[in-house]
Amino acid sequence: MELTVVVPTYNERENIAPLVERLAKVLEGTEWEVVFVDDDSPDGTAELVRQLAQKDRRVRCLQRIGRRGLSSACIEGMLTSAAPFMAVMDADLQHDEALLPRMLNEIRRDDLDIVVGSRYVEGGGVGGWSGPRIWISSLAGRLSRLVVRANIADPMSGFFIIRRDTFEDEVRRLSAQGFKILLDLFASSPRPLRFKELPFKFRLRVHGESKLDTLVALEYVNLLLDKLVGHLVPVRFLLFALVGSLGIGVHLVALSIGLHTLRLTFPVAQGVATLVAMTGNFLLNNVFTYRDQRLRGLGLVWGLFSFYVVCGLGAAANVGIASFIYRSEEPWWLAGLGGALVGSVWNYAMSSVFTWTRRR
Ligand code: GDD
Ligand code: MN
């Protein structure tokens, strides 16, 4: 086995057979296999891959249940491989498979870690992208300079070949979040990676649709933050704290409405505002901070109640600690800050155990 082609899939049923056919054509004369890593697509992609695999032992399927994520799918697909070289490419035929033999030839020579299929070197390009998409892509590219020092034209490409030793050296350092596996590889490497970019034209998608959405953009920010400050504070805690500070705004607005519009007494209005803020924080955390473990249906209701309990105890700890600091004759703001910090760390830690329990 010389080459494993790892292909992440989510609802790509119609693209599977054409892709395998094309791979067989361009990789003729090479010992290769293709591993489709499917996140339990509702359209039955995995089932179809297994049907093909019945007749062709070069085709394999890794089906993941209850999980989503392009990067983690690529990583786990590569971990199933024993080949010296591993390619990653999309299932949707947007990546030009005809480039694979040339990429393979380049990486066979000893002096490269990665060969990238690049849209942004001479001869490459994107076909038919809308103005905003081009703009967003170039913005994301510029942001990537925060974490990647290599002078690579297309760090966001999802099309590349990597040497297995390089991958093995790095795999434990990867963030594995979001869409940008190549960026992750470059940003996580302790030494500069030796790479080469070969141009290709990014084709239009014919079947199925793109999974790139606003959540993917958020995951990108997540990846950048993790590479920038992840060794100091968990990114999840940063998001949790950010949502918490938004919650203060929500609380004040609700309090004002309770007092001035509904004419409630202060203790009642403050109580209602607290409930509103906690509920808002819970929903925001559920969508952003814990989007990978999002609670739905009954789980959402149960989660909300556990969140009330956690935050209630957090508030008690907050007041207790703050009063203790205050009594030791520290300034009032230090006491307040200390209490808030302890309260939020408590809320974060406890809600990660009791509210957003990792599904098994
Ligand atoms: N297993 C799995 N899980 N696969 C996924 C998931 C997921 O959660 N989300 C997307 N995929 C698969 C798709 O089925 C497809 O094969 C591939 O990943 C790319 O997804 P698209 O939705 O087609 O992404 P795109 O075309 O918008 O983005 C591509 O181009 C970007 C450059 O602009 C990708 O190659 C990106 O990695 C690349 O940055
Ligand atoms: Mn695509």
Side-chain angles (χ1 to χ4, degrees), residues 25-101:
K25 205 170 289 166
V26 297
L27 292 175
E28 170 122 47
T30 307
E31 286 296 327
W32 64 279
E33 65 176 348
V34 58
V35 178
F36 290 94
V37 187
D38 185 70
D39 286 350
D40 210 15
S41 304
D43 77 348
T45 301
E47 192 46 48
L48 183 91
V49 172
R50 280 191 290 267
Q51 277 169 24
L52 289 183
Q54 268 284 322
K55 286 171 264 150
D56 186 344
R57 46 173 84 238
R58 296 172 302 189
V59 177
R60 294 198 291 135
C61 177
L62 171 56
Q63 182 174 6
R64 306 196 304 171
I65 314 251
R67 310 260 310 275
R68 279 297 301 275
L70 179 46
S71 284
S72 63
C74 295
I75 292 167
E76 285 164 39
M78 288 191 263
L79 286 169
T80 71
S81 161
F85 306 112
M86 299 174 290
V88 168
M89 76 188 291
D90 292 351
D92 55 9
L93 311 173
Q94 290 190 279
H95 291 156
D96 186 358
E97 66 288 336
L99 194 62
L100 281 171

Side-chain angles (χ1 to χ4, degrees), residues 28-333:
E28 170 122 47
T30 307
E31 286 296 327
W32 64 279
E33 65 176 348
V34 58
V35 178
F36 290 94
V37 187
D38 185 70
D39 286 350
D40 210 15
S41 304
D43 77 348
T45 301
E47 192 46 48
L48 183 91
V49 172
R50 280 191 290 267
Q51 277 169 24
L52 289 183
Q54 268 284 322
K55 286 171 264 150
D56 186 344
R57 46 173 84 238
R58 296 172 302 189
V59 177
R60 294 198 291 135
C61 177
L62 171 56
Q63 182 174 6
R64 306 196 304 171
I65 314 251
R67 310 260 310 275
R68 279 297 301 275
L70 179 46
S71 284
S72 63
C74 295
I75 292 167
E76 285 164 39
M78 288 191 263
L79 286 169
T80 71
S81 161
F85 306 112
M86 299 174 290
V88 168
M89 76 188 291
D90 292 351
D92 55 9
L93 311 173
Q94 290 190 279
H95 291 156
D96 186 358
E97 66 288 336
L99 194 62
L100 281 171
R102 279 185 54 214
M103 293 165 90
L104 190 58
N105 272 336
E106 292 287 346
I107 199 138
R108 270 188 194 125
R109 304 190 331 222
D110 269 344
D111 55 347
L112 290 174
D113 295 301
I114 294 191
V115 178
V116 179
S118 175
R119 296 161 298 172
Y120 301 129
V121 293
E122 184 73 40
V126 288
W129 267 15
S130 63
R133 170 102 202 230
I134 292 178
W135 186 82
I136 290 170
S137 175
S138 107
L139 177 73
R142 266 176 280 144
L143 280 176
S144 74
R145 305 273 174 243
L146 289 171
V147 295
V148 175
R149 272 158 298 277
N151 189 20
I152 173 168
D154 195 357
M156 323 295 265
S157 175
F159 187 27
F160 59 88
I161 288 193
I162 185 170
R163 180 179 293 282
R164 100 158 295 101
D165 308 345
T166 309
F167 172 73
E168 280 181 3
D169 283 348
E170 269 204 66
V171 63
R172 288 182 179 75
R173 292 194 193 88
L174 298 172
S175 292
Q177 285 158 6
F179 248 51
K180 307 304 175 189
I181 172 69
L182 184 65
L183 184 74
D184 199 355
L185 284 164
F186 271 90
S188 307
S189 172
R191 63 176 172 89
L193 293 178
R194 301 160 304 167
F195 68 96
K196 177 165 188 172
E197 292 181 87
L198 297 179
F200 80 100
K201 293 217 164 56
F202 197 71
R203 293 188 292 231
L204 284 176
R205 196 188 245 280
V206 180
H207 305 290
E209 53 197 40
S210 171
K211 283 92 207 169
L212 201 110
D213 56 15
T214 36
L215 272 188
V216 168
L218 195 88
E219 279 175 342
Y220 180 55
V221 175
N222 216 70
L223 173 65
L224 293 181
L225 281 177
D226 187 43
K227 285 300 161 212
L228 284 171
V229 296
H231 50 291
L232 302 172
V233 238
V235 172
R236 230 194 261 281
F237 179 67
L238 284 183
L239 291 176
F240 193 86
L242 194 74
V243 167
S245 30
L246 284 177
I248 297 175
V250 171
H251 182 102
L252 291 180
V253 171
L255 180 60
S256 155
I257 293 177
L259 281 177
H260 304 121
T261 314
L262 304 176
R263 307 209 166 271
L264 304 171
T265 62
F266 185 83
V268 174
Q270 171 75 354
V272 170
T274 306
L275 267 184
V276 169
M278 281 197 297
T279 310
N281 277 8
F282 170 74
L283 294 174
L284 283 176
N285 278 320
N286 195 44
V287 173
F288 293 112
T289 318
Y290 287 99
R291 64 194 172 283
D292 54 337
Q293 299 169 46
R294 192 181 303 173
L295 303 169
R296 294 191 169 85
L298 258 184
L300 190 75
V301 177
W302 167 242
L304 179 61
F305 281 101
S306 69
F307 193 71
Y308 286 155
V309 173
V310 163
C311 293
L313 293 174
N318 174 343
V319 173
I321 295 284
S323 315
F324 173 77
I325 301 177
Y326 189 72
R327 277 198 304 273
S328 0
E329 320 232 310
E330 299 294 345
W332 62 269
W333 55 265

